[in-house]
Amino acid sequence: MTTREALDRLLSIPMFQQVGGAAYNPGTERMEAFCRFLGRPQERFRSIHVAGTNGKGSVSHMTAALLAECGLKTGLYTSPHMRHVGERVRVDGVAMSEERIADFMERAMPFIDEHKPSFFEVTTAMAFDLFAGEGVDVAVIETGLGGRLDATNVINPSLSVITNVSLDHTAILGDTVMAIAIEKAGIIKPDTPVVVGQSDPESAVVFIDKAHECRSPVTFADKMYRVTGYECRTDGSALFETESLLDGYRFTFESDLGGACQRYNIPTFLAVAERLADKGLEVGRPQIERALAHAAGSTGLAGRWQVMARNPLTVCDTGHNEAGIREVVSQIEKLRSQRAFDRLFIVFGVVADKDLTRILPLLPRKAEYIFTRPSVSRGLDAGELARAAAGVGLKGVVMPDVCAALEEASRRSSSEDMIFIGGSSYLVGDLLQMWDGNRFGGLSL
């Protein structure tokens, strides 16, 4: 099997980002069988398991950056990918190569042909196999969807992390916060510490009960730390003034993850660092500061309040549900209050299963919209999106894809304006795949 044949075979498996729930295989039985076929690779490295509705990707990358700063060989498994599938699986920040993917696919094909695992199950097995083969000291494993029935839930981690719970993927996970919390709580394992980022009253009781059942100590990060001040910069970085709620000590962190949402993720990360120190990891303020300062750069994280150009200020962000959109809009409005831009142009596209009644009313009225469609088959028709947006007072034009939409925004804007691209991880992925620093004459770094 050639490298191209192997990649084509992998990408021919229906993936959630393309077809939605039809690609979701709940339950861990097939994953457990896959791991047995591969020689139980998930048992040959330590792991940290991360779930949550929002922030799990950022916290995973921050944690991986910290582990690397502490001198550990570190694996990182996240989803979805932005440019190419190898981005999902990294060792010390380096994405899995096409050659290694091809090697795995050739060895795994007998199982794949017989048992028909999902795309996410295949990439999860691929990650476990690479981490075991590379001899990583510890791997940070992000769940795909939910937790209890997620393919990643075959690991026995040293630490479980649940960032938060809000309404998303309700057709699969449940239509209440408590129902979704039950699914997320499924990653809590016996006698294994768990960090919960936000102590929402509806979900906290679920996590406390599950932790008690498992005899696992539970820590709520927002009872330990809070971000008291936030300064965003037009280069995409930010300063976060942080306070320990245990002793009142105040300190400031700089991060290349400059999104406003990081004010929730940083307390979670700091609580994770404390639990890792409890387990004997030599982690201190210098390692934490360096990990935060270079979290995106050292781990390859893309699409989280990522500044693509300065003239005009051009930013993309993968926030796509109600909570994520709310944070993105908050940050845009903060920049507006700082007079960081004149006019605002928003390139916006979503997938068809999003509840537009929840997210469209959150978007700024004072903006010029360019509606488009993510390239995945789940993408909502841009005309339909524009009609729904008009119903809440958002008006704009329709473009067939993100390339045409960005070109239109570039044509209309001046160097003093701002262009934001978002609404869907997949739209941001489209942007990153086609981005070329010289492609748009009106945009420059």
Side-chain angles (χ1 to χ4, degrees), residues 352-402:
D353 56 0
K354 287 300 169 189
D355 186 349
L356 297 181
T357 64
R358 287 185 176 274
I359 62 174
L360 290 179
L362 301 175
L363 297 175
R365 299 293 186 275
K366 193 177 178 182
E368 297 182 39
Y369 284 86
I370 304 166
F371 299 106
T372 189
R373 172 181 177 166
S375 63
V376 296
S377 58
R378 291 170 61 208
L380 180 66
D381 176 76
E384 183 177 343
L385 174 60
R387 288 189 290 274
V392 295
L394 307 177
K395 297 182 179 180
V397 298
V398 171
M399 289 291 162
D401 54 45
V402 72

Side-chain angles (χ1 to χ4, degrees), residues 149-392:
L149 301 176
D150 191 73
T152 63
N153 206 26
V154 298
I155 60 175
N156 288 304
S158 300
L159 177 67
S160 301
V161 183
I162 302 170
T163 58
N164 56 41
V165 176
S166 62
L167 296 176
D168 197 19
H169 300 299
T170 54
I172 295 173
L173 300 179
D175 58 3
T176 67
V177 168
M178 182 168 287
I180 295 174
I182 290 170
E183 295 303 314
K184 310 282 186 196
I187 72 165
I188 298 174
K189 299 296 195 303
D191 304 306
T192 302
V194 56
V195 170
V196 178
Q198 297 173 36
S199 54
D200 176 87
E202 283 188 81
S203 60
V205 65
V206 174
F207 300 134
I208 291 169
D209 287 349
K210 180 66 174 180
H212 178 73
E213 175 189 328
C214 291
R215 307 175 307 281
S216 298
V218 60
T219 299
F220 288 92
D222 60 357
K223 301 299 184 184
M224 298 174 63
Y225 298 98
R226 67 178 175 185
V227 171
T228 58
Y230 165 70
E231 177 188 334
C232 57
R233 300 163 171 168
T234 55
D235 67 355
S237 66
L239 289 176
F240 297 90
E241 296 176 5
T242 309
E243 179 184 18
S244 168
L245 297 177
L246 303 180
D247 59 16
Y249 183 69
R250 292 173 177 266
F251 38 92
T252 300
F253 293 113
E254 180 177 4
S255 180
D256 62 354
L257 287 173
C261 61
Q262 304 306 341
R263 68 185 189 274
Y264 301 114
N265 296 330
I266 285 175
T268 306
F269 165 72
L270 294 175
V272 167
E274 286 208 16
R275 296 292 79 82
L276 293 176
D278 292 343
K279 286 184 166 290
L281 184 66
E282 294 185 10
V283 53
R285 177 75 176 272
Q287 290 88 355
I288 290 171
E289 287 184 343
R290 290 195 298 269
L292 283 174
H294 306 291
S298 66
T299 62
L301 180 61
R304 270 66 165 189
W305 198 259
Q306 183 173 347
V307 174
M308 308 296 294
R310 303 274 186 86
N311 296 299
L313 176 61
T314 305
V315 178
C316 66
D317 192 277
T318 57
H320 58 275
N321 53 33
E322 183 179 356
I325 295 292
R326 196 182 298 276
E327 290 302 319
V328 163
V329 172
S330 172
Q331 185 151 8
I332 290 173
E333 294 304 335
K334 187 174 183 67
L335 286 173
R336 194 198 299 271
S337 71
Q338 296 172 351
R339 300 185 182 277
F341 61 86
D342 290 338
R343 293 181 300 163
L344 173 63
F345 296 84
I346 295 182
V347 174
F348 201 74
V350 300
V351 291
D353 56 0
K354 287 300 169 189
D355 186 349
L356 297 181
T357 64
R358 287 185 176 274
I359 62 174
L360 290 179
L362 301 175
L363 297 175
R365 299 293 186 275
K366 193 177 178 182
E368 297 182 39
Y369 284 86
I370 304 166
F371 299 106
T372 189
R373 172 181 177 166
S375 63
V376 296
S377 58
R378 291 170 61 208
L380 180 66
D381 176 76
E384 183 177 343
L385 174 60
R387 288 189 290 274
V392 295

Side-chain angles (χ1 to χ4, degrees), residues 72 87 351:
L72 298 177
E87 293 174 344
V351 291

